[in-house]
Amino acid sequence: CAICGVGEGGDGQYDPSGVQSLADALVYNQSLTSLSLEGNGVDMEGGKALASALGSAGTGRHNTTLKTLTMIEGAGLPVGALRQNELLELSLAYRKVGVCDAMLLSAVLVHSKNLQTLNLKGNAIQSAGVLALSPALTTVPGEDPHCLSVLNLEGNRIGSEGAKAVANMLNSDEQTLALAPFSQPDLSAGLGQQTQRKSIVTLRLADCEICGVGEGGDGQYDPSGVQSLADALVYNRTLTALSLEGNGIGPEGAAALGAALVPDAASERCNQSIASLILNDNEISGPPGSDITNGLEALAAAVRGSLSLTHLDLSRNHVGPRGTAALASGLYQSKSLKSLSLTGNEIGGEGAEALAAVIASDPEDGHTRSLSVLDIRYSNLSPASAKKLAQAIGAHPAQWTYLNTIPLADVAHDRVTSLELVGSGIGIVGAMVLARWLRFNHSIERIDLAGNGAHAAHAG
């Protein structure tokens, strides 16, 4: 309908007066239940007007009858269900949700107290969209608390400023980060106040360009976003799972996150809730061949000192022999880490032997032996170093649950009758350990290892 004056081909001049008039009418309308504005090119200014009409933070009278609002084809917002607290989960993944839609979603989310999961994966809300959502994901003192526990923003290019807004959602009363001013002040009301945060338990920020660099290497590296997340983690008490894969955080970002999990020398504060930290595909050791270890050393200190961290994924981070040795030193005294993934890293013979030495060490020497899941596929191991690692693992069969995707505990306790490991790259280490476990198994009737032979020389 070109209600903003711009046609399908971009002809005409943008005029928000039409959508503003609709928004003004919505405030007083008591009968409209469904409104579709798709294909009209409503921008942020129009989104602000509609959000205000729906009762965004800081507004007075607002529409109470609208149940469905559609801005983009297939992305109808369940306004009525959110207002009436009927939804526990809302998924708008891959629905072309943009900044304007995020504003409208924020306006209705402030009324929803029961929503537990919000999935916005694969959209285009960008940093401005996260800032728009922030008031709805923050509870002002005196208001009823919200209960959102899972927030998925994967694949949205929120950048470093968006990461700072997310960090603000994670902060406790003891610390509130200063955010860049948002151009729509009524939607960011309360961001600078001391607030009680929603108890987000799982946060997924994969492929969000939180350090300013895109998938193809475009953009300029800016660690301020991941640093803000790390600062927020120090005070956060509820987040248990953080996924940051594919964000190019680099050694500096990894060092900041690792430091957040270890008590600060001055304040002795650190995060004590994170159980799962997924950091694959982040160039934590720098570009290929650089072998920078400061980030890995910080993560090794976190592995050594954290009482909550149980799962760490560092797959495809160019972790070399020195980085692996640093992690192994942290693993020696770890009291909590149960699962470690180093898939696709060139750990080499030195790295494999460092891991083997820790795994084979005696608990009486201080080794806590908490690790039960290890994934070192595609790690460029020689047969000799692979044999040493396999022998170390094989010496403690009761310790292991999984190795290179092989369910060792199920094999050891006769809980499976077949193993489907087609193309899984179990490698020399996996094959050696599996062969040893099979000597004592009485239940397995069939094993399929097709597609593993080509990787045997380097899979690890």
Side-chain angles (χ1 to χ4, degrees):
C1 290
I3 65 172
C4 292
V6 181
E8 187 174 352
D11 301 327
Q13 187 170 353
Y14 184 80
D15 178 5
S17 60
V19 70
Q20 180 65 61
S21 296
L22 281 173
D24 293 342
L26 273 180
V27 172
Y28 295 93
N29 184 278
Q30 300 298 318
S31 60
L32 192 69
T33 59
S34 179
L35 175 60
S36 177
L37 294 174
E38 56 198 85
N40 278 289
V42 178
D43 72 351
M44 288 179 63
E45 187 174 353
K48 173 188 172 183
L50 290 168
S52 180
L54 294 178
S56 60
T59 62
R61 181 166 180 170
H62 57 271
N63 177 277
T64 59
T65 61
L66 199 66
K67 293 184 177 180
T68 304
L69 174 60
T70 304
M71 300 295 294
I72 298 175
E73 184 177 359
L77 298 179
V79 177
L82 286 169
R83 280 176 171 165
Q84 296 170 25
N85 293 315
E86 295 174 354
L87 293 182
L88 297 179
E89 180 176 352
L90 174 60
S91 178
L92 294 171
Y94 302 105
R95 303 286 282 276
K96 300 180 181 178
V97 176
V99 177
C100 180
D101 306 282
M103 291 180 182
L104 299 171
L105 181 58
S106 179
V108 292
L109 279 178
V110 294
H111 304 289
S112 177
K113 306 300 181 183
N114 292 333
L115 191 69
Q116 296 177 8
T117 299
L118 177 58
N119 184 357
L120 293 171
K121 181 179 181 179
N123 288 294
I125 65 173
Q126 304 176 41
S127 60
V130 178
L131 283 162
L133 284 169
S134 192
L137 302 180
T138 303
T139 302
V140 176
E143 293 184 355
D144 292 335
H146 296 259
C147 58
L148 189 73
S149 60
V150 179
L151 177 60
N152 188 345
L153 296 174
E154 291 180 5
N156 287 279
R157 298 178 178 179
I158 68 173
S160 59
E161 293 304 309
K164 292 175 186 177
V166 173
N168 196 67
M169 300 174 197
L170 298 177
N171 285 328
S172 70
D173 288 340
E174 300 173 54
Q175 183 193 42
T176 300
L177 297 181
L179 297 183
F182 184 42
S183 58
Q184 323 303 329
D186 61 318
L187 288 177
S188 60
L191 285 185
Q193 303 173 17
Q194 291 293 318
T195 54
Q196 177 185 350
R197 312 297 170 184
K198 287 187 176 183
S199 300
I200 297 176
V201 174
T202 300
L203 177 59
R204 300 186 179 122
L205 295 177
D207 303 312
C208 281
E209 301 183 8
I210 65 171
C211 289
V213 180
E215 187 175 354
D218 301 328
Q220 187 169 354
Y221 180 75
D222 176 8
S224 61
V226 67
Q227 181 66 61
S228 294
L229 285 171
D231 292 342
L233 284 181
V234 173
Y235 293 88
N236 182 276
R237 301 181 184 88
T238 61
L239 192 70
T240 62
L242 176 60
S243 173
L244 294 176
E245 65 258 42
N247 277 291
I249 66 172
E252 187 173 348
L257 291 168
L261 304 184
V262 179
D264 179 78
S267 66
E268 298 186 354
R269 292 296 301 266
C270 69
N271 179 278
Q272 299 181 42
S273 63
I274 287 288
S276 174
L277 184 58
I278 301 177
L279 299 175
N280 54 285
D281 300 289
N282 268 299
E283 295 197 343
I284 287 176
S285 293
S290 56
D291 198 21
I292 302 172
T293 61
N294 64 310
L296 287 166
E297 288 168 357
L299 290 172
V303 167
R304 182 185 303 112
S306 174
L307 297 178
S308 63
L309 188 65
T310 60
H311 173 64
L312 179 62
D313 189 342
L314 298 175
S315 301
R316 298 176 296 279
N317 271 299
H318 314 304
V319 177
R322 291 187 356 174
T324 306
L327 287 170
S329 68
L331 194 60
Y332 184 83
Q333 292 181 306
S334 172
K335 298 177 178 62
S336 63
L337 195 72
K338 299 182 183 300
S339 174
L340 176 64
S341 178
L342 292 172
T343 299
N345 288 294
E346 299 284 323
I347 70 174
E350 181 185 340
E353 291 182 23
L355 287 173
V358 171
I359 292 170
S361 59
D362 197 305
E364 293 182 1
D365 296 329
H367 179 210
T368 51
R369 199 169 285 164
S370 64
L371 197 69
S372 61
V373 178
L374 179 63
D375 194 343
I376 51 168
R377 293 173 294 161
Y378 315 111
S379 294
N380 193 29
L381 304 186
S382 67
S385 58
K387 183 177 181 180
K388 287 184 179 179
L389 187 51
Q391 288 175 337
I393 294 171
H396 305 284
Q399 177 180 340
W400 298 98
T401 304
Y402 281 90
L403 171 68
N404 291 1
T405 73
I406 304 170
L408 293 182
D410 289 341
V411 175
H413 295 92
D414 297 335
R415 292 197 290 250
V416 289
T417 58
S418 66
L419 287 177
E420 301 292 336
L421 297 170
V422 177
S424 57
I426 65 171
I428 303 173
V429 173
M432 287 180 174
V433 173
L434 178 59
R436 178 167 183 159
W437 255 247
L438 288 174
R439 295 177 190 172
F440 308 100
N441 178 273
H442 302 91
S443 65
I444 291 180
E445 301 171 357
R446 178 178 179 275
I447 301 176
D448 193 341
L449 294 173
N452 280 279
H455 304 296
H458 68 274

